[in-house]
Structure formats: C-alpha cells, structure tokens
Amino acid sequence: MLEIKNLNKVYPNGLHALKNVSFNVPQGEFLVVIGLSGSGKSTMLRCVNRLHDVSGGEILFNGVDTTKLKGKALREMRANIGMIFQHFNLIPRKTVLQNVLSGNLSRTGIFKSILGMYTKEDKERAMKYIEIVGLKGKEKNRADALSGGQQQRVAIARALMQNPKILLADEPVASLDPATSHSVMQYLKKVNEELGVTVICNLHFLSLVRQYAHRVVALKGGVLIYEGKPSEINEQWFKTIYGEDAVEVTIN
Amino acid sequence: MSGQNYKAPEHIAITYTKSFVLDVLTWAYIALVSYKIIWQKIVLKERYPDFFWSQPLYSFYIGLALAFILIFTNFSLGKGLFGIIKTKDDEVATKKPFAYIGYLVILLTFITSYYVSQISLKEFFSPQGLEGAQRIFTALFNPNWAIFEEGLFAAVETIYMAFIATAVAIPVAFVLGFFAARNLMNGNKVTFTIYNLLRACFNISRSIEPLVWAIIFSVWVGIGPFAGMLALFIHSVASLTKQYSEQIESIDDGPIEAITATGAHPIQIVWYGVVPQIVLPYLSYTIYRWDIYVRMATIIGLVGGGGIGNLLMQYQGQARWNEVGMLVIIIAAIVWAMDWASSRIREAIK
C-alpha cells in the first residue's frame, strides 16, 4: 500500500535527516517506528503526507508517487492520510464537534467551511467517531479544556473523519501519563483492527512497541538499521538502536 | 558537519568587521564628546563654542586610529559585545576591560545630556519663575465651568474620531496582517517579496508621527476632526498591521500543521488553523489601541486635528488659564475612564 524507496531528506540548514530509507507497509499493518530523538522518525512521517518536501527518492501510495504532487492532487492525497501529533494540535477555543468536523475540510467547499455550514451527514459521521473514541456527551465541550488523553482521542476522531487509508501517529503518547498512554494506544489498535486503517506510529517505549506493533522499523541518524518483528529486538539490537549506555524503561 | 566547518572562517571575519566598526564609532564618539563638552564647555567655559565639520572628521580619524590599535587588546567594546572575548566561568563580563569603555560612554553621555538640556536649578527656583508657576497653578485649579459644555462636546468629538479611525483601520489591518506575517509569507520568493515591501511601507509610515500626518491632512482636507481622523487612520493601519502580524507570527504551528494534514485548502488552513488563535489577542490589542488613540487625538487636535485638543490650543494661545484648567480636567477624566474601561474589557475577554 505504501512503498518508500530511497527516501532522502536534507533540511535547508544542511541537516541530512533521512538517508536512503526504504521499506514497505502492507495494508492493515500496525507499523511502529522507533529510534532516538533526532533520528528522523518525525521527518519520515511528515514526508509521507508531504508536510515536509522530500529531497530525493519515491513514496508510492497505492502506486502513485506522492513526492511530486501539487495543489489539488496533493490535498486529495493528504485527505487519504490522517495524522495525529504529540501535542494533539487541536484548534483552540473550538468545541470537540467543531474540531472533529475540521477533519472533513478537504471535502467541504471553502465558502461553506468559512461559514461553518456542514451537512447533516457530516455531523452524524462526526458524532459516530466521537462515540468510537469514547467521548460521547463531550461534543459541545471546548476541546482545549479536556485532559491530554481526551484531547488525543479528539485528534483521532478528527483523523477518522477524513476516512483515511493510513493513519500517521507522531509520538502520540509522548506527552501523556502511562495509564492514559495505554488507553490511547488501545484506541489506535481499535482503529487498526476494526476499521482496517493502516497505522504508522512513532514510539519511544519498547514495552508499548512489543504490545501493539505488528512490525518495527528502527532509524538511527537518518538510516534505517532494523526491520522486523518486535519480539526479535533483543539486548544486542536495543544497544545498537539506542546506544551502549541506554537502559530500557518500561511502562505498564 | 562539513557545512559548518566551511562556513566558520567567513563568520568570524564578519564578526571582527562588525566589532571594528563599532569600536571606531565608539572611540570617535568619545573623542568628539570629550572635546566639545569636557574641553570646550567645562574646561574653557565657552558659552557658544564654534562648530566646524572638521571636528567630527578628526574625531573619526582618532576613532579609527584608536580602534585599529585596541582591537588587538581586550579594550574593545565591539569584541566584548559580539562575543569574541570569552568569559570564563569564574569571571564576570561586567568587570572585563571592555566593560569599562561602556561605562565611560554612559558617563560621557550623561554629562553631555546635562549640558545639552540646559538643566538649570537656578531658573527652576528663581522668584520670577515661581511666581509664574503660582499664577498658572491657581488658574488651573480654578477651572472656568462656563465652558464645561463646550469642552464636553469637543471631547465627545475626540472620542468618536479615535473610534472611527480605529474601526475603519481594523478590516484593512486584518487583511494586511496575514501578508505581513513572516511565518505565512516565507514559503516562496514572490510572497516573501510582498512581505518585505509591506514591512518597509509600514515602517516608513509608522516612523512618521501622527502629529505630522495631522499637519499634512489639515492642509489637505482643512482643519477639523476629519484631518485628525485621517492621521489616526494611517497610523492605526500601520501599527495594527504590525501588531496583528506579530500575533500571527507567535501562534502555535501545531494546529496549522494538523489542518494542513487533513488536506485542507490554504484559505481553510488560515481560517481554521490561524484565525481561532488570534481573534482574542486582536480584540484585546485593538481596544488598547483605541484607548491610546483617544489620548493621541487630544494631541493631534493641537495641530489642527479638531476635538478637545483644538480647543485647548485656542485657549492656551489666549493665555486663558482658567479655561485651560477646565479642559485639562476633562481630558484627565476621559483618559482615566478610557484606561479603566479598556483594561476591564481586556481582562474580561482574556
């Protein structure tokens, strides 16, 4: 479904963030990307939906190279790929419902969206996704007044509103406490298993990786150094990925 | 990284050049001020010392010579300020040699200011002066209530003039604010050029005081509140745009990124990712500006912008201090009320 071939990314300041990264993501997979901070995980995700432009290589999404898309074609590609973020990135001062509805902007006319005119079907769909992420009854609350875990669930509902084929999750639990982290991961798992959405997720904690990932790729200094099953990451691999001095921290 | 190694020498050369230029200017200033003020005014006690263009020129040569020698030592203000002189952990930058040059500059500037401002305690406490002060204060504290109505109407004119100037400026500044925001405009060369042009225009128009605009418009459309309104309008557009664009520049990029990721159109990105973050700060700042413009409108009235300032000017010209006293009280009341109201409103919408 997603084929990444020799992906390179050089930032304007000369930082070579991704070096010849290649891997495939089959439909329905829950893929987790691990690596130290600054290893290029976030850059990699942002190249997939072109929040960052790519410096070299190809990204084939359902057979189409997305790295050269522009304008309407680019927006249509983005509409098929949902994304959630470490800091949730909800629209401040808006309600949960308005935030979830904003996931449908690509299919709403500019004029209608400025006036906030959403169709009845859109609203019903939004309510359905709010229910799926367990926030029924909170749709009229201000999203920025919710707890971190709830905000992340609103973000998931917003991404689902796009009807995505792929969901990108950029360290979705890095600013949450351990208990909430599991809850959010459970919802991602549910999205993956019940709605059949392919998930690509950046994570820090190996314990979460072992629990949720079908497959793992590891980046180090912008280079893909590991690709395999989470259970195959032994002590040796751990030290290769995270450095000699690293000690594994678990959350339960 | 190889890129940084390549860049490093060029960088140091630029820093050294900047330090040298700063040193030349500093030493030239010290030389000129020492000669004109310390030598001519204080030592020779000349009342009106002659000025020749050769004096700053020679100061510049002295500055050049001193800077050329001292750039190699620690007595270089430029090297200190641009961080070439490193401070060790157990040292304090304020006790380094270059810091003393800074202190010398401040001291000389203080002495110069004292002489340039013609500060004279003798005149402040002269019997003649005190008598005049007593006369004007007596009059000011005995306001002429007969012109209260006249003053009030003029004040109302001033407040409304400030309001319409701000109100008309809001939509203009709202739109221009997006084009003057660096984070929205630095995407490609065309938009970045527009950004730079806009910035330049606003910096020029802001650097011309509303007072000057009022003089221009009082000739253009005649003396009266309309001239004042136009002057305030020009200033509002420039200052609101600058403030609005800075507000846009300081917003959280997260929501913009998230809305972009949904596949939204750029206009939708601005409307959903930017606007919700800026509405309240805009409102708050605009009310604050209106408050300032009511005060400014008073001053603008002095040069023909209508309203209470115009009235104040008329009575002051005729030395009718009791009437002036009345107007001063009205102005103070308005300023206080506006200040209070605007801070209350801004508090409420935070």
Side-chain angles (χ1 to χ4, degrees):
Chain A
M1 167 173 236
L2 191 73
E3 294 172 56
I4 295 176
K5 291 181 184 168
N6 294 319
L7 183 64
N8 274 281
K9 170 70 186 174
V10 183
Y11 282 105
N13 65 8
L15 179 69
H16 203 152
L18 293 173
K19 295 166 188 160
N20 288 320
V21 173
S22 302
F23 62 95
N24 294 340
V25 189
Q27 172 135 26
E29 187 173 61
F30 197 119
L31 176 77
V32 170
V33 186
I34 57 172
L36 288 170
S37 300
S39 60
K41 305 191 297 292
S42 291
T43 307
M44 210 268 300
L45 283 196
R46 281 168 171 72
C47 284
V48 170
N49 65 355
R50 289 278 306 285
L51 286 179
H52 287 343
D53 278 327
V54 174
S55 310
E58 284 183 339
I59 299 174
L60 298 181
F61 175 48
N62 284 336
V64 181
D65 182 11
T66 61
T67 57
K68 307 256 166 6
L69 294 180
K70 276 185 183 158
K72 197 163 166 51
L74 173 64
R75 297 201 293 275
E76 272 169 9
M77 179 273 287
R78 280 179 182 155
N80 282 316
I81 301 177
M83 185 164 188
I84 63 172
F85 303 83
Q86 179 181 352
H87 298 294
F88 327 130
N89 294 354
L90 299 178
I91 306 170
R93 299 198 181 88
K94 298 266 181 190
T95 65
V96 169
L97 182 64
Q98 283 170 317
N99 261 290
V100 174
L101 281 168
S102 71
N104 203 41
L105 283 175
S106 61
R107 297 182 195 90
T108 314
I110 291 171
F111 190 67
K112 281 189 175 171
S113 62
I114 284 178
L115 294 177
M117 291 160 58
Y118 292 98
T119 61
K120 200 157 162 268
E121 290 79 44
D122 289 342
K123 282 186 186 153
E124 277 165 8
R125 233 154 46 80
M127 296 297 271
K128 185 182 94 185
Y129 292 127
I130 291 171
E131 198 177 337
I132 286 180
V133 296
L135 289 173
K136 201 177 179 203
K138 299 236 183 240
E139 51 275 344
K140 294 274 184 262
N141 291 33
R142 254 175 74 159
D144 51 8
L146 299 179
S147 72
Q150 289 174 327
Q151 289 196 39
Q152 194 60 292
R153 276 141 64 189
V154 176
I156 295 174
R158 171 172 67 185
L160 291 179
M161 193 70 194
Q162 291 173 235
N163 244 336
K165 307 282 177 293
I166 300 179
L167 180 65
L168 307 175
D170 186 19
E171 294 181 20
V173 298
S175 42
L176 300 175
D177 58 63
T180 324
S181 294
H182 270 292
S183 145
V184 165
M185 290 308 295
Q186 290 287 350
Y187 281 107
L188 286 180
K189 190 180 176 187
K190 190 170 157 187
V191 167
N192 175 248
E193 287 174 357
E194 292 176 18
L195 304 177
V197 178
T198 308
V199 176
I200 305 176
C201 180
N202 290 346
L203 280 179
H204 271 307
F205 288 103
L206 272 181
S207 51
L208 289 177
V209 176
R210 293 203 181 93
Q211 212 165 332
Y212 295 99
H214 298 160
R215 199 161 60 96
V216 177
V217 295
L219 292 174
K220 188 179 186 184
V223 182
L224 191 135
I225 56 164
Y226 177 85
E227 189 176 355
K229 293 238 178 304
S231 54
E232 288 161 4
I233 303 176
N234 53 25
E235 186 94 352
Q236 193 54 47
W237 270 115
F238 179 80
K239 292 220 183 292
T240 316
I241 297 167
Y242 289 99
E244 282 299 321
D245 303 333
V247 178
E248 188 174 345
V249 182
T250 51
I251 64 170
N252 299 302
Chain B
M1 267 174 290
S2 57
Q4 263 181 351
N5 288 337
Y6 171 72
K7 255 186 158 178
E10 182 188 68
H11 190 65
I12 282 177
I14 289 173
T15 319
Y16 259 98
T17 316
K18 282 200 277 189
S19 309
F20 182 69
V21 171
L22 186 72
D23 277 2
V24 172
L25 294 176
T26 309
W27 288 114
Y29 176 76
I30 292 174
L32 185 64
V33 165
S34 306
Y35 177 69
K36 293 297 291 183
I37 303 295
I38 309 291
W39 179 248
Q40 286 190 317
K41 277 264 193 189
I42 300 177
V43 178
L44 296 182
K45 293 201 169 59
E46 283 183 44
R47 226 180 141 75
Y48 299 107
D50 289 328
F51 175 79
F52 302 107
W53 276 102
S54 59
Q55 292 164 349
L57 194 68
Y58 283 131
S59 304
F60 181 73
Y61 291 151
I62 294 172
L64 211 57
L66 277 174
F68 196 74
I69 301 164
L70 293 172
I71 190 91
F72 299 108
T73 69
N74 272 347
F75 284 93
S76 162
L77 191 62
K79 272 167 73 181
L81 290 182
F82 289 113
I84 298 177
I85 298 174
K86 294 273 177 279
T87 317
K88 293 197 196 88
D89 285 341
D90 57 345
E91 286 175 328
V92 199
T94 48
K95 291 216 173 127
K96 286 269 189 174
F98 71 81
Y100 287 98
I101 298 166
Y103 302 147
L104 180 64
V105 168
I106 294 170
L107 181 71
L108 282 174
T109 306
F110 186 84
I111 295 171
T112 311
S113 318
Y114 186 87
Y115 274 88
V116 169
S117 311
Q118 303 175 357
I119 291 173
S120 158
L121 292 177
K122 209 159 66 183
E123 254 169 58
F124 195 79
F125 288 114
S126 74
Q128 208 187 345
L130 286 179
E131 197 191 313
Q134 196 196 355
R135 200 172 61 234
I136 193 166
F137 274 114
T138 322
L140 288 177
F141 285 118
N142 288 297
N144 180 0
W145 288 88
I147 65 147
F148 179 72
E149 210 177 272
E150 190 187 5
L152 201 64
F153 283 144
V156 167
E157 200 175 277
T158 297
I159 295 174
Y160 279 88
M161 177 176 102
F163 181 77
I164 188 94
T166 319
V168 176
I170 291 170
V172 181
F174 182 82
V175 174
L176 290 176
F178 292 107
F179 293 99
R182 177 179 270 271
N183 56 343
L184 299 182
M185 299 298 280
N186 63 2
N188 67 56
K189 276 194 182 126
V190 180
T191 55
F192 199 59
T193 312
I194 296 175
Y195 160 85
N196 280 318
L197 282 177
L198 262 181
R199 276 279 152 130
C201 280
F202 288 129
N203 284 336
I204 292 167
S205 74
R206 256 180 337 111
S207 61
I208 301 173
E209 283 287 309
L211 206 64
V212 179
W213 284 115
I215 293 170
I216 294 170
F217 284 115
S218 67
V219 176
W220 191 337
V221 300
I223 287 176
F226 185 45
M229 181 250 157
L230 285 173
L232 287 180
F233 169 74
I234 297 273
H235 194 263
S236 317
V237 168
S239 74
L240 286 179
T241 303
K242 182 176 157 59
Q243 196 65 32
Y244 286 178
S245 60
E246 272 165 16
Q247 204 70 57
I248 296 173
E249 282 168 10
S250 71
I251 60 171
D252 177 12
D253 282 337
I256 299 177
E257 208 175 26
I259 298 297
T260 310
T262 66
H265 187 273
I267 295 174
Q268 292 173 323
I269 295 172
V270 169
W271 190 256
Y272 279 85
V274 181
V275 172
Q277 296 193 59
I278 55 177
V279 169
L280 284 188
Y282 270 29
L283 202 59
S284 167
Y285 184 74
T286 309
I287 292 169
Y288 172 64
R289 267 336 285 194
W290 179 38
D291 174 20
I292 289 177
Y293 284 135
V294 171
R295 279 177 234 190
M296 229 183 232
T298 315
I299 307 294
I300 276 176
L302 297 177
V303 295
I308 197 162
N310 226 357
L311 210 56
L312 186 72
M313 200 63 192
Q314 284 169 24
Y315 285 118
Q316 186 262 334
Q318 299 163 18
R320 290 169 64 180
W321 302 118
N322 301 84
E323 283 77 5
V324 170
M326 183 72 251
L327 296 180
V328 168
I329 290 172
I330 294 177
I331 292 170
I334 292 169
V335 168
W336 175 81
M338 289 293 299
D339 204 35
W340 181 81
S342 98
S343 71
R344 271 307 176 86
I345 297 173
R346 281 184 287 135
E347 192 68 32
I349 61 174
K350 208 184 261 172

